[in-house]
Amino acid sequence: MPQAQHPIVGLAFILFLIWLIFPDGEYQSGSLALSDLAAERLSRFHDALDVLNTSHWGDFTPAPPPSEHDDATPSYLNLSGFRAEDNLAWEDLGRFRERSLEFSRHAIPPVAGQDLWDIGQGEAVWMNASGTVHGEWIRREGSVPRGYDSYNLTHNATGMDWIGDKSDWARNITGKFGRMMLRIDGNKTVSEYEELVEDSTPVSGGLIRSVKGTTTIEDTDGSGHNWEMRLWGVHWPHQGVILMTTTSEKFEGIFGLPHLTPSEDFFQSSQRLLNQSLARTIARKEENIYVDQTMPWTSDLENPMYTTNPSPHCEYIMYAQVHPPGQQILNIDMDDISRDTMESIIGAIESELQSPQGAPIPKVPKLQMSVVIYSPDCAFFLESKGPPDFSPSEAHHLMGMKSEVHVYQIKTWILVYALVVFAQVNLLKNQIKESCTPSTMGRVSFWTTAIMVMVDGMTFTAAATWVSSAAATFLPTLALLFSAFLSMCIGGSFLAKIWEVQLPEARPRRDRDRASGNSGSTSTSAASSAVLTPTPTGAGPLLPAPVTASRQARPPSPPIIIPSDQDIDAEIADSAAAVPNATTGERTAPAPQSFQAIVGRLILFSLCIIFLAISSTTWYPSLRCLFLNACTLAYLSLWIPQIHRNIIRNCRRALAWPFVLGQSFLRLLPVAYFWVKEDNFLYAQPDRRAFVFFCAWVWFQLLVLAAQDIVGPRFGIPVGWTPEAWDYHPVLREDSLEAGGLPIGLVSDDNSDPDQATTTPTSQDDDDQTKKRSSTRTMDCAICREILEVPVISAGDEDSGVAGVFARRLYMVTPCRHIFHSACLEGWMRFRLQCPICREELPPL
Ligand SMILES: *[C@@H]1O[C@H](CO)[C@@H](O)[C@H](O)[C@H]1NC(C)=O
Ligand SMILES: *[C@@H]1O[C@H](CO)[C@@H](O)[C@H](O)[C@H]1NC(C)=O
Ligand SMILES: *[C@@H]1O[C@H](CO)[C@@H](O)[C@H](O)[C@H]1NC(C)=O
Ligand SMILES: *[C@@H]1O[C@H](CO)[C@@H](O)[C@H](O)[C@H]1NC(C)=O
Ligand SMILES: *[C@@H]1O[C@H](CO)[C@@H](O)[C@H](O)[C@H]1NC(C)=O
Ligand SMILES: *[C@@H]1O[C@H](CO)[C@@H](O)[C@H](O)[C@H]1NC(C)=O
Ligand SMILES: *[C@@H]1O[C@H](CO)[C@@H](O)[C@H](O)[C@H]1NC(C)=O
Ligand SMILES: *[C@@H]1O[C@H](CO)[C@@H](O)[C@H](O)[C@H]1NC(C)=O
Ligand SMILES: [Zn+2]
Ligand SMILES: [Zn+2]
């Protein structure tokens, strides 16, 4: 009985659900809340801090120098990553120290054979190393091989469920060389200390502060990735030494950092500073354990939260030496300037940078550093490229700007960009004034304007997003925001007007015909429309057909008889069914979109581009470069839609030349900044070849526009490719006279009425006169009442090339066969699309 079982089955199902939803006791105790996890990690940090507090110089000698004692045993620290069983490649620690000292001694060279850097008497360096530097690195192999299979992470890091530890680790640099960027943020407070140790070389200089560094290493040559990471450490300003490490679940680098320093003096000072500052950080984290779930000193910028299943990264130890700026300030040898003088000059520059008071300072030198990076678990070295291994002309380690200079540059360039956008607004305003009538607005391409408005809109969006967090760059960003807003609004309203004017083109053809009616057909004689055939390029013997001719050629739409019951719709449907070939094609044409729909799509498209551009920072560098170049190329193709529209409409020039040239130049400027300038504020790698290509591309489009203006918009385009359009500058030929193809004034002049318009002065001899008669006729222009000279090609002659092209530019012939000066009729047509004589409708220019 299935019905009786029903409640039992339902109950069982509910129980099953409850069993599924409520976790059992064991499972619950096994799953740690994030705050429990944090507490556990923090207690381990306490243990590590104890190790740091109680250890001494020499407690960590994983590979003692063989020369000292034969019985020297390696000693290790009880910190993850520093234990013997962790099996890291500490054999190279000695090499790392040696290489670091080599770089330092090269940056601050010995004077008269005495190594002044070792005793703290070398050239003065920046006290404040905050800033951004970038340059090239080269990779050097470690002396012992290590791979991911050398480590048993499941065994050693307690409670961790590692993901991906059995495949290539992240940050594993495999390329031979590449580029890197390093940003250093120093703590404001510098602590002073007494020199603690007698005769320990090198000395550390008595000043110390904590620093944080963010570095991006591009491994284009190897894995193709960009690795971004954060390192924490200390800075000894007097000696210009910075030592930083990464910290993670398998490597408590910051706690072991004092043991990686070059000498006991460095060890003592850093141990004292870190003992205090790390304890303070741990205490603060413990206070906010339920609020702040980010790990302290994490090297991973993407996942800074506590986690039970981390993924392994290669760990890094970085030694950086700040180079003395003296050489750059004075451009002479430093021998005759004492360290104290130099120190005071540098101090003056730094205090002026920090709080500008208008004190006279020399040009601020660049920040320069040399860097040695050592990875103890992946067993390799990265060194900044530069002397002494490479010649100074080839590479110069890492170069960059101090952060104040950097901020100043950003402010200046944002302001310059705001001015550029403002100049664009001015050009746009003038163009709008020029294209104020429907006839002139109809020539402007919607998409050319749309591209400009879209890019201005993106600038506006970017500025509006940035302005909320733009601490020091607030005012320049506000200026940019304002000018981009102006540009977007004015451009947007222009776009709306263009759309309105050009809307009839998008409507299906039948609607247009019905709206305009058959008004034009009556005034054109059947004879003329029969002889006039389309010759858009002026190559044929006759005048092109008037636009009205095509109307007549089409079968007339069947008359609609309104029945007594007034059912028009049914009647129309019937007549449509009766003539299917006349209506079905037009019926299927999609209805035009509204302006709002188009704008909505444009906005959506720009947002997509913005998101792609933001996410492109994490792509492979080559792919990102391709994407940015493609976007820029699409942007700089902005005249292509205009060229296309000129061809379709047979219009010579839609936009004023100042507008076209000015916009091309102004829109290339920001591109030039990033593609050409070496030390741009984003540290984007310049790509001059691509920029030259962009310039050539824009130049080519301008050339085409100029050619369209001078030679004609359809120059070199096969006749069949373009829709028919009225050619206002036809070739006038004598042999079409009889057929009635010449403009009205000329026909009467030639046949019967010689005194209405004399052709040439009678003073010349007969031969010349007859020749002239066949080539030039004169008559009055109805608009300005001045004489109009028209070249007419005699029967049998060929069109006379470029000269003829220019001559034809001077007159315009309307479809109703009236002839005017070009300037006169163009001026007239700006306001009215009607023939001034017979009020016939004129096709737009
Ligand atoms: C550091 O070690 C000293 C003894 O060397 C001890 O008195 C002090 O409590 C320790 N501090 C911490 C934070 O463990
Ligand atoms: C190392 O430290 C852990 C605590 O982090 C402790 O349990 C262990 O006994 C220590 N090992 C040695 C050899 O001191
Ligand atoms: C790093 O890459 C090298 C070369 O591909 C590989 O042999 C090594 O095992 C990798 N190391 C790690 C820790 O993944
Ligand atoms: C890693 O350690 C775990 C726990 O001791 C052990 O079961 C496993 O076999 C080890 N794996 C390797 C590859 O040594
Ligand atoms: C790592 O493994 C060794 C045994 O090989 C063990 O003595 C040590 O405690 C482990 N370290 C951690 C942090 O679990
Ligand atoms: C900078 O150092 C001082 C003293 O060493 C400390 O009180 C302060 O918290 C540090 N600031 C930061 C941002 O680490
Ligand atoms: C170092 O430069 C940073 C960035 O401008 C500034 O905040 C800090 O106060 C400066 N520190 C010193 C000691 O000059
Ligand atoms: C570390 O700091 C504690 C106080 O927090 C202090 O008692 C101890 O002497 C310090 N140890 C060292 C090595 O400076
Ligand atoms: Zn005129
Ligand atoms: Zn007319």
Side-chain angles (χ1 to χ4, degrees), residues 53 271-272 275-276:
N53 187 6
Q271 188 195 28
R272 194 182 274 195
N275 180 23
Q276 288 166 7

Side-chain angles (χ1 to χ4, degrees), residues 149 151-156 166:
D149 41 9
Y151 305 105
N152 190 354
L153 293 177
T154 27
H155 187 49
N156 251 325
K166 291 288 170 272

Side-chain angles (χ1 to χ4, degrees), residues 131-133 180-184 213-215 244 318 369 371 398:
T132 318
V133 289
M180 65 180 289
M181 193 180 96
L182 172 65
R183 199 177 74 231
I184 302 237
T214 312
T215 180
M244 297 186 290
M318 178 189 282
M369 286 184 200
V371 164
L398 308 184

Side-chain angles (χ1 to χ4, degrees), residues 122 169-170 279 503 521 654 674:
W169 289 0
L503 191 60
S521 55
F674 290 112

Side-chain angles (χ1 to χ4, degrees), residues 580-612:
N581 54 343
T583 43
T584 42
E586 292 150 2
R587 284 259 164 132
T588 50
Q593 295 159 316
S594 71
F595 182 64
Q596 281 81 356
I598 288 277
V599 166
R601 275 181 208 184
L602 290 185
I603 290 176
L604 218 62
F605 181 70
S606 332
L607 284 183
C608 285
I609 295 282
I610 288 178
F611 284 129
L612 273 180

